[in-house]
Every structure is written in structure tokens, then in C-alpha cells.
Amino acid sequence: MNQGERIEKGIVLRAINYQESDKILTIFTADEGKIVAKLKSCRQPKAKLKFAGQPFCFAEWTLVQKGEHCIVANALEIESFFDISLDYDKLIVASCLLEMCDYVLNPEEPSGALFVELLKCLKMLAYHTPQPQIVFCKFALDLFDLSGYKIELDRCKQCNGEFNTHIIFDYDLGGFICGMCPCSAGKEISLGALKSLNIIQNTEIERLDSIKINDINLKEISSVLAENFAFRFNKHIKSLKV
Ligand SMILES: [Zn+2]
């Protein structure tokens, strides 16, 4: 390693074209959080690091600071997660996960736990056959948890009472409340959908391909979680199609 260089393992969250043949990458690194780095000349036809300019690319990055810019000096691919791009539904969900990470991470603020969750979810999508939206729900639940917005599924967030048939997700509170409690901005969900969410919460990422949720419930909980993301982080997930 040359002087001034550092090596980081990380996943490309975003890659935008810059000038004639460069790209500006947003890389989620395991140890340093989100880093923005310039990948030079990667859009030329025979560029050695062409592969590194793609979202999802998981690589070992050699980075060097030049003035105020961080430059990619080299990249060794660990996994491309190329298989995700072969399935439209998987690609949509995986793109949502990258987008969510990009929004919640502050530059160079380490978030090792979220990095591990992302990696596990991408592996599940690339190498197994889960219902893709289950992976979205699992990742969203874990992301809220890691960000201090854990969603409790067992009791009413307001009165701590048990749920009966009338359940509402209260967006201001960021949790489920019972039908007895007042709510200003919320969405009613079915008991079946709440049970599905419980199953997802209690299943490890590596086993998400072993559970099956009906499409109606899955749609219900995906949209509640996406709305909650918008309320908590003030950002709509653009990649999402629910
Ligand atoms: Zn209540």
C-alpha cells in the first residue's frame, strides 16, 4: 500500500456519470460508513475497473485522498450480485435497500450492523428464491430498529393494550395502535398483515426463503413500512413499486 492510501470493503450504493468517462460512486463501507469517491475513466470500453462502477458491486477498494477528492486507485471484486439484475422484482427490492441506506447514512459515520444486514439481504436475493418483498420488509424493520425507531408488534404503542381486530399504524408515533386509541395520521391494517409482519420479524435473514406470505398481506405491510420510512426520514423511496 502506498502512502496516503487506505483499503475499505464496501458496496456501491449509487454511481453517477461524471465528465466524459468518470463516475462518482457512493460506497457503503463496512468500517467507515458512506464514502463518496471518484472512479476515473471507468466508462471507456476497455477500462479495467468498469465493473466497479455498477451499483451492488461489493469490492475491496483502495482509496486515495487527493485534495478534497477521494479517488479509487484500485478495486478487487468480492461479489457483483449480478444475479439480482436478472429478476425484475428482486432488482426493485435490492434498489430500494441501496436507496434506503444512502438516505439514512451520514458521510463517514460507521454503521457496521446495517452493513451486515444489507450484505445478508443482497445474498438472500442473489442466491436464493424468497418473495422479494419479504426481504424488503425484513430490511425495513431492521433499519428502523438500528435507527432507534423499532416497531413493536405485540402491543398498542399508545395504551399498551392488546390488539383485537382493529389495528392502525400511526405514522406520527411510528407504531401500531389499537382501535380504542385516537390517531391523527394512520392506516388501518388487517390482523393477518400484522401476523405476517411478526413472522418476518422473527425469521432470520438467512431463512427468509423458507417463509411464504400471501400477496395481499405483503402489499399491506410493504406500503406501511415504506410510508413509515417517509415519515421517519422525510424521504420517499423512489425505487419502490407497491
Ligand atoms: Zn391503544
Side-chain angles (χ1 to χ4, degrees), residues 49-199:
L49 297 183
K50 200 180 178 79
F51 72 91
Q54 303 298 324
F56 305 112
C57 173
F58 176 32
E60 186 176 271
W61 305 86
T62 304
L63 303 169
V64 57
Q65 197 68 32
K66 284 197 176 150
E68 55 187 43
H69 296 290
C70 180
I71 311 282
V72 176
N74 198 13
L76 299 171
E77 187 175 88
I78 300 170
E79 284 182 75
S80 70
F81 293 115
F82 174 77
D83 287 7
I84 290 175
S85 66
L86 302 176
D87 181 308
Y88 180 74
D89 293 331
K90 286 181 172 183
L91 182 62
I92 295 288
V93 164
S95 302
C96 288
L97 306 194
L98 298 192
E99 207 187 312
M100 290 157 91
C101 288
D102 194 13
Y103 288 130
V104 302
L105 291 167
N106 293 314
E108 315 222 0
E109 182 183 284
S111 187
L114 189 65
F115 181 85
V116 170
E117 297 291 299
L118 177 64
L119 201 52
K120 284 182 184 174
C121 284
L122 293 180
K123 284 185 180 181
M124 174 47 66
L125 287 167
Y127 308 125
H128 303 275
T129 50
Q131 287 168 272
Q133 283 198 328
I134 289 182
V135 179
F136 169 76
C137 293
K138 178 69 175 176
F139 186 77
L141 284 172
D142 288 351
L143 182 146
F144 294 138
D145 196 353
L146 290 169
S147 312
Y149 301 119
K150 185 175 169 65
I151 298 176
E152 297 295 341
L153 303 177
D154 300 328
R155 288 188 170 266
C156 170
K157 176 125 182 160
Q158 220 168 129
C159 70
N160 208 30
E162 280 183 26
F163 294 118
N164 38 42
T165 49
H166 199 56
I167 306 153
I168 297 156
F169 190 86
D170 185 315
Y171 291 120
D172 286 333
L173 286 177
F176 290 99
I177 60 170
C178 72
M180 308 296 283
C181 286
C183 173
S184 52
K187 181 172 180 166
E188 185 159 0
I189 78 152
S190 65
L191 191 60
L194 185 66
K195 279 183 181 163
S196 301
L197 202 51
N198 239 308
I199 292 169

